[in-house]
Amino acid sequence: MEQMTGIHIAGRWVAGASEIENRNPSDLSDLIGRYGQADAAQLDEALDAARRAQVAWWAAGIQKRHDVLMAIGTELMARAEEIGRMLSREEGKPLAEGRGEVYRAGQFFTYFAAEALRNQGDLAESVRPGIEIDVRREPVGVVAIVSPWNFPVATPAWKIAPALAFGNAVVWKPANLTPASAVALTDIIVRQDIPAGLFNLVTGPGRAVGQRLVESRAVDAISFTGSVPVGRQIAASAVANMTKVQMEMGSKNPMLVMDDADLDLAVAHAANAAFGGTGQKCTAASRLIVHEAVHDAFVERLVAAARALKVGHALEDGTQIGPVVSEDQLAQNLDYIALGKAEGAELLCGGDRLERPTKGFYMAPAVFAGTRNDMRVNREEMFAPVTCVIRAGSYDEALAIANDSDFGLTAGIMTRSLSRASHFRANMRAGCVMVNLPTAGTDYHVPFGGRGASSFGPREQGRYAAEFYTTVKTAYVAAGAPE
């Protein structure tokens, strides 16, 4: 893989203007590799190549697009163990999660392979005689994809797959923390029979390459997953060019635990949602809003569950929580622990840096109790293995607390009451609601996205992805009378 540098432009791997080191967060002595960083000229070359290739890709037809996406998805699923191991080594999630992420990425491609064949339009009757109308979907053109490090294969897959399925070209800027995953996915894509330049990997610094990409007039649409501040900057840049945007950003997901809940199930789902992936998920349950009648029993069991979780090397058997992704992320997490204490929250367990046989960015999962919804630890996305418990006196109070947020991505409720579950589904202001399930964990064939500061633009995934990756054309035809 020596030639696979982290930059792939116009059908070839090229050297970068500079390089970055990629180290294993489970073992800092493990150098995964050095990866290229593109400069402005290389980005411009990628955009030019994408524009040329997109025309040929659209002309290739739906069967070709189906076959290519099926091949990509099938290879990803077949290599889930191999690529998942590399992903876990690079990002820090336990091997089972890494393997599962790669397999899920393959499912996105096979799903959208079929969607390529289902890109059907409509016929309409005209109000004027002698005129026929058809409505069809066509590609938007060149799509810029900016993806995060926490799901370095799955998140780009659910963007790249529909982009290619509907006939677009792609310029992808992945996160600098996970370049090996980007290279592995790119290698599978570019080995297919596709036009040179249809798919371009341009790794580089966000302030240089990323900003130039989203400001480019050569880009027709931008799909971004990341933080709210960066999303707002991208939206401001895009509007100057009237570029179509789709953004998935922050979250502060609530899980309500009612007095009639199965407490063992509630604790299991809360711990899964709060600490899975080391809390580095946009769907993590970081606000646990618990009915006062079961509050103390729930908290006692949750703390026991958190303390029982095994924190260790991502590739070690039995590891349930790996390291956080970087030194900067760990420092930010520890700052939030200090902030929570300063705000008056009670730290019941965890929140400290851990030492392990290999030097890495390990942190004990933390539970805060006695928190209020106006505390910063309950208002800001922490992206950490930290969850905060809020006491509520009733279902109505719990729902009001849950909805009192700038975000609205996922939300859950634990209850045996059908009426509460139905009311919650209808009145929780979130894009995804879960009943007796963790807030984390979504299917690949249905829409994903949120409200408020969590999302902006059309939904991702499923058939709804067509709203972003295509543009609608209405054609009127007056064929005249036959001679």
Side-chain angles (χ1 to χ4, degrees):
M1 296 181 64
E2 185 178 352
Q3 84 278 16
M4 298 180 195
T5 58
I7 304 173
H8 191 277
I9 297 172
R12 67 190 190 280
W13 294 97
V14 298
S18 60
E19 284 187 340
I20 57 170
E21 278 192 350
N22 183 23
R23 290 190 178 272
N24 182 347
S26 294
D27 180 0
L28 299 182
S29 68
D30 178 17
L31 176 64
I32 296 168
R34 293 181 174 86
Y35 294 86
Q37 297 277 278
D39 60 14
Q42 290 174 316
L43 173 60
D44 292 345
E45 182 184 355
L47 289 166
D48 290 343
R51 178 67 62 191
R52 294 190 301 269
Q54 189 273 323
V55 177
W57 180 239
W58 177 238
I62 60 175
Q63 187 65 54
K64 180 65 173 181
R65 293 196 289 278
H66 167 275
D67 294 348
V68 166
L69 266 69
M70 279 296 293
I72 295 169
T74 301
E75 182 170 346
L76 278 166
M77 288 187 283
R79 297 175 60 192
E81 176 71 30
E82 168 206 345
I83 298 174
R85 180 172 292 274
M86 182 277 299
L87 187 160
S88 293
R89 179 181 168 213
E90 169 178 67
E91 192 270 347
K93 64 184 57 175
L95 178 57
E97 294 183 32
R99 185 191 304 118
E101 177 178 339
V102 176
Y103 196 89
R104 174 55 58 90
Q107 290 175 315
F108 283 119
F109 278 96
T110 56
Y111 173 85
F112 281 107
E115 285 297 287
L117 301 179
R118 288 193 286 261
N119 188 19
Q120 299 171 353
D122 298 299
L123 294 176
E125 295 291 332
S126 175
V127 298
R128 295 170 288 172
I131 295 176
E132 297 178 349
I133 301 173
D134 70 67
V135 182
R136 66 187 67 188
R137 289 190 177 274
E138 297 181 351
V140 291
V142 175
V143 178
I145 291 174
V146 182
S147 62
W149 49 262
N150 62 325
F151 287 92
V153 176
T155 299
W158 80 48
K159 299 173 184 289
I160 295 165
L164 297 181
F166 295 123
N168 301 285
V170 170
V171 177
W172 176 28
K173 187 211 169 299
N176 265 347
L177 286 171
T178 49
S181 296
V183 166
L185 179 55
T186 298
D187 175 53
I188 293 174
I189 294 171
V190 300
R191 283 193 283 101
Q192 309 304 318
D193 182 16
I194 60 175
L198 180 72
F199 185 84
N200 302 271
L201 171 66
V202 186
T203 305
R207 292 183 179 178
V209 171
Q211 191 63 30
R212 187 178 182 88
L213 175 61
V214 299
E215 291 177 350
S216 174
R217 295 175 64 88
V219 170
D220 299 297
I222 303 165
S223 183
F224 165 78
T225 298
S227 69
V228 174
V230 174
R232 286 176 173 156
Q233 292 171 12
I234 288 174
S237 299
V239 74
N241 298 324
M242 297 298 180
T243 304
K244 198 172 186 179
V245 292
Q246 174 191 67
M247 298 190 295
E248 295 298 334
M249 298 171 288
S251 63
K252 201 67 192 169
N253 309 301
M255 176 183 284
L256 281 60
V257 180
M258 294 292 95
D259 53 336
D260 62 345
D262 178 331
L263 278 193
D264 289 335
L265 185 65
V267 168
H269 286 343
N272 176 310
F275 305 129
T278 322
Q280 297 173 149
K281 294 181 179 181
C282 61
T283 54
S286 55
R287 290 188 298 152
L288 304 178
I289 305 168
V290 184
H291 194 288
E292 61 184 6
V294 295
H295 176 276
D296 293 353
F298 173 84
V299 168
E300 181 181 357
R301 297 186 196 189
L302 179 65
V303 169
R307 286 175 171 159
L309 291 169
K310 180 181 177 182
V311 180
H313 194 294
L315 301 181
E316 182 180 316
D317 288 344
T319 290
Q320 295 169 288
I321 297 181
V324 302
V325 72
S326 68
E327 186 170 12
D328 287 346
Q329 186 65 49
L330 178 59
Q332 177 181 296
N333 295 354
L334 297 177
D335 285 345
Y336 271 114
I337 294 295
L339 175 64
K341 292 178 180 178
E343 290 182 307
E346 182 183 3
L347 182 63
L348 299 182
C349 68
D352 51 326
R353 182 170 188 168
L354 300 176
E355 298 298 326
R356 290 296 182 262
T358 53
K359 185 178 180 182
F361 306 121
Y362 300 104
M363 178 179 177
V367 175
F368 276 118
T371 73
R372 303 183 313 275
N373 203 44
D374 61 353
M375 292 178 172
R376 282 179 58 192
V377 289
N378 280 321
R379 307 302 298 182
E380 301 173 9
E381 184 176 48
M382 294 183 283
F383 234 55
V386 179
T387 195
C388 301
V389 180
I390 304 171
R391 185 189 296 264
S394 66
Y395 165 75
D396 289 340
E397 182 185 358
L399 179 63
I401 293 170
N403 277 325
D404 179 15
S405 175
D406 295 333
F407 302 107
L409 182 55
T410 66
I413 186 170
M414 302 298 302
T415 182
R416 290 187 174 98
S417 166
L418 178 60
S419 60
R420 282 175 172 173
S422 296
H423 187 273
F424 179 80
R425 290 166 64 192
N427 293 279
M428 181 65 223
R429 292 194 293 273
C432 304
V433 295
M434 285 75 169
V435 177
N436 295 326
L437 288 166
T439 57
T442 57
D443 287 359
Y444 61 88
H445 66 300
V446 292
F448 175 81
R451 299 169 62 156
S454 290
S455 301
F456 184 82
R459 286 289 190 259
E460 300 199 87
Q461 301 182 189
R463 289 187 298 166
Y464 288 76
E467 296 299 323
F468 177 72
Y469 292 99
T470 65
T471 185
V472 175
K473 177 185 285 183
T474 305
Y476 297 83
V477 178
E483 296 182 359

